Amino acid sequence: HWYLILCFTFIYRETGYFLHIIFPYEFDELLINLDYQLLGIHPTLWLEKLINPWFTEIMHLSYASYWLMIPLSCGLFFMQGKLNEFHKLLLGICIAFYISFLMFIIFPAAGPRFVMASQHSLDLKGILLTDYFRTFINETGLRGGCFPSSHVAVAVVILKFFSAHQKRLSYFFFLWVTFLSMSTIYGL
């Protein structure tokens, strides 16, 4: 039942070998301009208004919590013996991952933490775990594999699934997904 969850990490890493197989460049300028046209701001630069050590710590914890979200959400159904729901949720997660991974190859983008780094005026200093999480993200993340965010795509699938099958827990997942989504923009 659980092997697919273990495979996602390996498939993500393997995607890195194909990121520039179609386009040798990244589409960040297009995405940055689109953000600005839609919102009238650059989200990562606007979020600098919120920078403080506690908020930075919360954002890094939110981002890192993603690695717990999949096994915990699937585990809730598995431990309740709801294998049909477990498999449906896992299928939704697989589809979200595979669409994201395919888009990484078709539409490579490095993300604002690389492309807009020189425009950031403040350093993201946390309290306790921020440096550890930042190091982990820098060592394991792929430059060119940020759009669409597989973190957000998978989290939204999980939220939608819980909204349909576990309404009481969906409020908790709504907060979790909100913070996780904001953390992907915050500038990690």
Side-chain angles (χ1 to χ4, degrees):
H1 297 289
W2 291 89
Y3 76 94
L4 275 175
I5 293 172
L6 298 173
C7 290
F8 297 138
T9 300
F10 299 109
I11 296 169
Y12 169 76
R13 296 299 306 160
E14 292 299 311
T15 302
Y17 295 112
F18 301 101
L19 289 178
H20 297 289
I21 201 165
I22 298 172
F23 297 105
Y25 48 85
E26 295 158 342
F27 289 91
D28 289 279
E29 288 302 317
L30 175 68
L31 293 169
I32 290 167
N33 290 332
L34 183 61
D35 274 348
Y36 193 79
Q37 287 177 0
L38 289 173
L39 304 171
I41 58 167
H42 295 294
T44 55
L45 299 177
W46 182 85
L47 282 172
E48 280 191 341
K49 296 176 185 181
L50 304 177
I51 289 179
N52 70 58
W54 285 104
F55 191 68
T56 298
E57 193 77 13
I58 290 168
M59 289 294 97
H60 278 80
L61 285 169
S62 298
Y63 191 82
S65 73
Y66 166 75
W67 292 292
L68 298 174
M69 186 180 278
I70 296 168
L72 285 178
S73 60
C74 290
L76 286 169
F77 292 103
F78 188 82
M79 292 182 68
Q80 293 174 354
K82 297 180 178 179
L83 292 182
N84 191 36
E85 286 85 354
F86 171 86
H87 289 293
K88 285 181 181 178
L89 176 57
L90 197 52
L91 175 62
I93 291 169
C94 285
I95 291 169
F97 268 126
Y98 294 136
I99 290 171
S100 294
F101 295 163
L102 182 61
M103 287 300 295
F104 292 171
I105 295 166
I106 295 171
F107 202 79
R113 89 181 153 109
F114 294 110
V115 178
M116 298 180 78
S118 64
Q119 297 177 43
H120 290 273
S121 59
L122 299 171
D123 189 27
L124 296 175
K125 293 187 186 322
I127 304 295
L128 183 64
L129 298 172
T130 295
D131 289 337
Y132 170 76
F133 289 135
R134 185 178 297 135
T135 300
F136 180 77
I137 292 164
N138 287 338
E139 290 178 6
T140 60
L142 298 174
R143 180 186 168 104
C146 88
F147 180 81
S149 169
S150 59
H151 279 62
V152 175
V154 168
V156 168
V157 165
I158 291 170
L159 174 61
K160 292 285 289 170
F161 198 82
F162 270 79
S163 294
H165 297 279
Q166 293 276 345
K167 291 206 188 301
R168 288 188 315 199
L169 285 174
S170 68
Y171 299 109
F172 168 75
F173 277 96
F174 176 78
L175 288 173
W176 193 352
V177 170
T178 299
F179 276 86
L180 181 118
S181 299
M182 192 183 323
S183 74
T184 63
I185 300 168
Y186 188 66
L188 300 177

